[in-house]
Amino acid sequence: MSQQIALLAIKTLVNENKEPTLALVKSRLTSRVPMPIVIDAIKAYKQNPDILKQLATPAETKQTEPKHSLEQRVTELETQLAQLVDRIKRLEANN
């Protein structure tokens, strides 16, 4: 998994048309990765640049729920608010 993180950092550099170096890759890491793993990832990329094509970016792997329109969300929140206000009124009436 650590090597994949390093390879993702390399992929971002390549997408920016930059040559991956140890310093650049380390600066792009999203989490701590041991130096030998970063070096191995750079070596793997230099031996086979196509290795980056097999990687999925975090945005691609993240499954998102279908988004509701802003209007729908406001309607849902207004309904919830009305229910809460009604509940508060009933609780206050019982005290």
Side-chain angles (χ1 to χ4, degrees), residues 31-78:
S31 61
R32 298 188 89 165
V33 177
M35 188 78 70
I37 293 176
V38 176
I39 293 169
D40 288 343
I42 294 171
K43 285 180 185 176
Y45 163 72
K46 288 187 178 185
Q47 289 176 355
N48 181 16
D50 291 336
I51 196 169
L52 299 180
K53 293 178 183 174
Q54 301 168 2
L55 293 175
T57 60
E60 292 170 352
T61 57
K62 188 178 180 182
Q63 294 181 356
T64 57
E65 296 177 13
K67 293 186 177 181
H68 297 289
S69 72
L70 183 59
E71 203 171 287
Q72 289 173 323
R73 285 293 297 143
V74 170
T75 303
E76 289 173 11
L77 290 171
E78 286 175 339

Side-chain angles (χ1 to χ4, degrees), residues 22-38:
L22 185 60
L24 284 175
V25 173
K26 287 287 279 184
S27 71
R28 298 295 172 97
L29 293 174
T30 57
S31 61
R32 298 188 89 165
V33 177
M35 188 78 70
I37 293 176
V38 176

